[in-house]
Amino acid sequence: MASIPLFVNGKPARAARRLAWPAALAAALAGCSSVGPDFAPAPVAAPATWSEHHGGAAELAAPVAAASALPADRWGVFGEPELLRLQALAVGSSPDLKLAALHLAQARAAEATVSAQRGVRVAANAAAMRQRQSEYGASARLVGALGGPNQQHLLQELSAPYSQYDAGFDASWEPDFWGRIQRSEEAAAAASAQGAAALRSARLSVAAEVARSWFALRSAQDQIALTQRELGAAEQARALLQARFEQGLSDASALIDQRAKIAALQSTAPALQVQEALALNQLTLLCGLDPGALNRELAAAPAEGRPTLPDLRLGLPAELARRRPDIAAAEARLHEATAEIGVAVADLYPRITLGANFGLESIGSGRFGEWGSRQWSVGPSLSIPVWDQGRRRTTIQLRRLQQQEAAVAFQQTVLKAWHEVDDSISAYVAEGRRETRLAARLAEAGQQAALARARYAQGLASYLPVLATETTQIEARRDLDLSQTRRRTALVALYKALGDDGSDAALAAR
């Protein structure tokens, strides 16, 4: 790129007079719009209802609702105060969140750096030098050309050491004729939007992972407690069968079967303990703590009545694009790629810089501050791209391809979002239906157990039927607890798929 000063020491340069017309043309185009394509938000084709984008059985689709009925405090619906405390601890100490916050801060600092290009740049300079010129350098050639009898004396004088003092300032400003700075600002703002969306996504992911690990922990602990209860009932039944066998009232087959059941139950204990340990370690990792730091706090607690989870009234599908942080980030990437095309196109056009400098220069300090030591220059300089082996045009092509890639990635993100929401809805609705049936089964098992105890109390049956119905009741409770855990995990996945767990509204309310 050729750079040509248009004024020197306040007077038009000869090259400037020849190239006055490009400067005039650039000034006339100062009001032109920015080059490159303008960004338009990518359209998201949304169905009228969630059931229109649903795969599988129709009864597993979300019900139609005009407005969202999800509670503002999403995580409060589980009735787990300890879960809320762990989520707050994890959000405050998560390395992923800290990295996302740092990336956002870097993007905003870069945005401020780009915006600073619009202003006038001023630099001050000063120098004090002690120097000496060679007697045999360029000055010797000049003195020889001048001739005269005092050449040697003149060379000695010219090569004598001297002090030189300089001080001054430079100022420059580049008008944004072609919108290069404006497009750069657009790209930087889009990068900041990506950082903000990534921070939202990281916060949602941390809260969701804590919830998943919490439910896995409580499920493992509940299963351990139920297994111990079942083992107790099985041991009682084994003792009764052992007595019947020793008294000759039955053969050994029933006793052998009971011992096999006890061995099978005992074999499940280590696997459940591993599940508990893994969930505990995952929680401590998410909270930034050492393994075992939460063992005492999160020791097994008796299972209490769990609140009823909400029905799925999710509002309009069109709200998905507004809520999902990954969709917002993909759109911001598309905006950034579009703006980068304008930056690349602007590099094809001339650039004019308005500059000025003023300073003082003096040999020796005695007259350094006098008005006669001043020197200055003012005027525009024109930089014209002439030949670069096609680099700039290839860059434009590259930026257009990157924009197309960002557009495809945006559509892929939206499609993935629809599938994730539909999968979560199907899992939540299906597990809710299964939970209802398992609750009915548990109620029936309870009635059978009560009837068996009544018959035993009246002397109409032995204690073995009581133990058998208690075992059936425990198994029904185990299946119901597992179903409730799966349903809660499905609701966590749905919160994440919707891109909204209520935390943004909570933060805004504060």
Side-chain angles (χ1 to χ4, degrees):
M1 178 175 289
S3 181
I4 305 172
L6 302 184
F7 288 83
V8 178
N9 290 331
K11 298 180 181 180
R14 181 176 302 173
R17 290 193 295 271
R18 289 199 304 266
L19 295 172
W21 65 268
L25 177 61
L29 293 174
C32 292
S33 60
S34 300
V35 297
D38 293 325
F39 174 75
V44 178
T49 62
W50 293 102
S51 58
E52 293 183 23
H53 275 187
H54 172 67
E59 58 265 24
L60 299 185
V64 177
S68 174
L70 291 176
D73 183 12
R74 305 284 199 271
W75 304 112
V77 302
F78 298 110
E80 302 274 5
E82 188 66 20
L83 168 61
L84 302 181
R85 188 187 74 82
L86 289 173
Q87 285 177 324
L89 179 61
V91 167
S93 60
S94 169
D96 290 338
L97 274 177
K98 291 178 181 178
L99 288 175
L102 288 172
H103 291 162
L104 176 57
Q106 293 172 29
R108 287 177 174 169
E111 184 179 358
T113 301
V114 171
S115 297
Q117 297 181 48
R118 286 193 175 277
V120 177
R121 293 180 290 276
V122 180
N125 56 79
M129 294 178 291
R130 182 72 176 171
Q131 55 186 356
R132 178 187 185 278
Q133 295 183 2
S134 169
E135 295 183 22
Y136 311 109
S139 56
R141 187 167 182 267
L142 177 61
V143 170
L146 292 175
N150 298 320
Q151 292 185 19
Q152 187 62 33
H153 176 71
L154 184 58
L155 285 173
Q156 291 176 352
E157 289 295 325
L158 289 174
S159 62
Y162 66 93
S163 299
Q164 179 173 326
Y165 298 88
D166 296 280
F169 71 90
D170 299 309
S172 62
W173 174 61
E174 180 183 349
D176 193 20
F177 288 132
W178 316 108
R180 182 183 63 83
I181 298 177
Q182 179 182 339
R183 295 302 192 194
S184 298
E185 288 177 327
E186 276 188 57
S192 295
Q194 292 178 56
L199 181 59
R200 284 177 52 213
S201 180
R203 186 172 62 239
L204 177 59
S205 295
V206 167
E209 288 303 317
V210 169
R212 286 195 187 101
S213 299
W214 170 259
F215 294 135
L217 172 65
R218 285 310 187 208
S219 177
Q221 291 173 340
D222 290 346
Q223 294 302 308
I224 290 173
L226 289 171
T227 300
Q228 290 173 347
R229 283 181 55 192
E230 191 173 1
L231 271 172
E235 287 289 352
Q236 286 183 315
R238 185 199 60 77
L240 290 175
L241 291 171
Q242 180 74 31
R244 288 176 61 85
F245 172 71
E246 291 175 353
Q247 295 172 8
L249 300 177
S250 64
D251 59 16
S253 59
L255 179 60
I256 293 173
D257 289 343
Q258 189 63 25
R259 287 173 178 170
K261 291 179 182 178
I262 291 174
L265 284 173
Q266 291 173 338
S267 67
T268 62
L272 292 174
Q273 291 171 345
V274 169
Q275 291 179 20
E276 180 187 26
L278 291 177
L280 272 170
N281 279 340
Q282 182 66 16
L283 284 172
T284 54
L285 176 62
L286 289 168
C287 295
L289 302 174
D290 295 329
L294 297 175
N295 285 5
R296 187 178 300 241
E297 296 179 46
L298 304 184
E304 300 177 357
R306 295 183 173 96
T308 303
L309 297 184
D311 293 331
L312 290 184
R313 293 195 293 270
L314 304 177
L316 299 177
E319 298 175 358
L320 179 70
R322 178 179 57 83
R323 293 186 295 198
R324 290 252 320 194
D326 58 342
I327 292 180
E331 186 175 43
R333 281 193 293 272
L334 179 57
H335 191 173
E336 181 183 13
T338 304
E340 289 290 353
I341 296 176
V343 176
V345 173
D347 282 342
L348 292 176
Y349 295 87
R351 295 171 63 173
I352 292 180
T353 302
L354 305 179
N357 66 73
F358 178 85
L360 303 173
E361 181 180 9
S362 173
I363 301 299
S365 60
R367 309 186 68 177
F368 177 66
E370 294 185 6
W371 187 241
S373 65
R374 72 188 184 281
Q375 58 180 4
W376 59 271
S377 65
V378 63
S381 62
L382 176 65
S383 180
I384 304 175
V386 178
W387 179 249
D388 62 357
Q389 302 291 334
R391 180 183 62 83
R392 288 177 177 81
R393 295 195 178 277
T394 304
T395 301
I396 295 174
Q397 182 182 5
L398 174 62
R399 297 292 179 260
R400 293 189 185 279
L401 292 173
Q402 290 172 340
Q403 183 202 36
Q404 295 174 22
E405 179 185 3
V408 172
F410 174 79
Q411 296 299 331
Q412 183 182 32
T413 301
V414 173
L415 181 61
K416 180 182 176 183
W418 291 125
H419 280 273
E420 289 181 353
V421 171
D422 189 52
D423 291 344
S424 301
I425 290 174
S426 296
Y428 184 78
V429 174
E431 204 58 53
R433 294 160 66 90
R434 184 169 185 268
E435 183 180 333
T436 300
R437 291 175 173 82
L438 289 174
R441 175 193 170 195
L442 177 61
E444 292 175 357
Q447 293 175 2
Q448 290 176 350
L451 180 60
R453 283 191 293 269
R455 288 174 61 84
Y456 173 74
Q458 295 173 3
L460 301 176
S462 68
Y463 197 65
L464 282 174
V466 175
L467 294 175
T469 56
E470 284 184 359
T471 299
T472 302
Q473 191 176 15
I474 292 172
E475 292 174 350
R477 166 55 66 185
R478 176 186 292 111
D479 292 341
L480 179 59
D481 285 352
L482 289 173
S483 177
Q484 290 175 337
T485 298
R486 283 193 290 266
R487 191 172 183 224
R488 279 156 175 73
T489 303
L491 185 56
V492 172
L494 181 58
Y495 286 165
K496 190 173 181 181
L498 291 173
D500 179 18
D501 64 349
S503 57
D504 291 333
L507 291 174
R510 294 174 192 170

